[in-house]
């Protein structure tokens, strides 16, 4: 795919754009799969960042020209760790290697994601897991799918029978956020059946959308971590809010995605 704009690549239908985005994300995933295998050793933070950047660049070299050619008027979020609201217009929010540190450690939980955001609302998203070949997609108003099969959140109505999960937004997080994460896990250990803790957030959210787990929460977080899953869970019939049950926006300091039957209980647990 040439990096210069090809006018024939430009698409105007969101449904067609979703399909073409999925093709680009799968191509980037194939590049990362070729780099996956042995544990990548590092002894300093600089060496770690260099290794992470190598994966990011390998995927971005494929994603950026392809997505730009599909939607040339859309801006590009440069820092995948950024949070908060975006300026008006359309934006590509991409995580070229979601769960990048897992990739370096030869762990299977990583993915490639791309989300188109329009006026701060996610319009379409693609989450591809190269090791399994699974591709999750969602389009506003058209549902969420896994390899073309519709996704639905769980029908669980008792948090005490539910599996819930949380994640670490980023290393070196603010002390207050770290302590809040710890107390929330303790509270959930009392109220839920099982509590899972791992990175990345997106894979927990694909599990909520698929009805495999019942709720996911996180304090703080980047747009690229949460927007793909927020759209997948919403389109699969789930509820999105902050941890206190208020409407979630990218400016919120917490995030909760849950099956409708356990959302209120999860809010009560996280609010005490």
């Amino acid at each position: 795919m040439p990096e210069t704009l090809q006018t024939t690549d430009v698409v105007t239908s969101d449904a067609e754009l979703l399909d073409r985005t999925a093709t680009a994300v799968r191509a980037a995933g194939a590049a990362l799969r070729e780099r996956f295998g042995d544990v990548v050793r590092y002894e300093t933070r600089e060496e770690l960042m260099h290794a992470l950047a190598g994966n990011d660049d390998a995927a971005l070299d494929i994603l950026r020209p392809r997505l730009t050619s599909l939607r040339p008027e859309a801006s590009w979020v440069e820092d995948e760790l950024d949070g908060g609201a975006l300026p008006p217009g359309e934006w590509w929010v991409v995580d070229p290697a979601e769960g990048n540190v897992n990739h370096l450690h030869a762990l299977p939980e990583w993915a490639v994601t791309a989300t188109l955001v329009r006026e701060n609302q996610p319009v379409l998203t693609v989450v591809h897991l190269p090791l399994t070949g699974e591709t999750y997609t969602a389009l506003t108003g058209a549902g969420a799918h896994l390899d073309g099969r519709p996704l639905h959140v769980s029908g669980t109505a008792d948090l005490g029978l539910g599996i819930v999960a949380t994640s670490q937004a980023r290393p070196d997080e603010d002390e207050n956020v770290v302590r809040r994460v710890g107390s929330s896990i303790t509270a959930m250990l009392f109220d839920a059946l099982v509590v899972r803790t791992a990175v990345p957030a997106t894979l927990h959210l694909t599990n909520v959308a698929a009805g495999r787990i019942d709720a996911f929460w996180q304090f703080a977080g980047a747009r690229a971590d949460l927007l793909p899953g927020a759209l997948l869970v919403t389109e699969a019939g789930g509820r999105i809010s902050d941890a206190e049950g208020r409407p979630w926006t990218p400016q919120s300091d917490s995030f909760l995605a849950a099956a409708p039957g356990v959302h209120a209980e999860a809010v009560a647990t996280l609010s005490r």
Side-chain angles (χ1 to χ4, degrees), residues 89-167:
E90 286 190 343
W91 291 80
W92 284 113
V93 177
V94 170
D95 195 328
E98 168 75 327
N100 201 347
V101 72
N102 289 340
H103 185 288
L104 297 184
H105 283 254
L107 294 167
E109 296 87 5
W110 52 275
V112 180
T113 79
T115 303
L116 183 69
V117 176
R118 184 177 297 149
E119 307 304 342
N120 273 301
Q121 297 296 320
V123 175
L124 61 86
T125 194
V126 176
V127 177
H128 177 59
L129 284 61
L131 295 185
T132 65
E134 294 176 321
T135 303
Y136 296 81
T137 58
L139 176 64
T140 298
H145 296 83
L146 169 57
D147 295 330
R149 302 187 302 276
L151 294 174
H152 303 285
V153 298
S154 80
T156 304
D158 181 350
L159 186 62
L161 299 176
I163 298 178
V164 301
T166 190
S167 186

Side-chain angles (χ1 to χ4, degrees), residues 13-57:
S13 158
D14 285 342
E16 182 184 358
L17 183 59
L18 178 64
D19 291 341
R20 302 280 291 276
T21 301
T23 299
V25 170
R26 289 190 186 100
L32 286 187
R33 190 176 59 230
E34 291 179 1
R35 298 169 62 88
F36 181 78
D38 296 334
V39 175
V40 176
R41 303 296 179 185
Y42 49 86
E43 296 184 355
T44 66
R45 182 64 71 98
E46 289 73 21
E47 291 177 358
L48 167 62
M49 298 308 293
H50 179 76
L52 294 172
N55 281 342
D56 283 343
D57 291 344

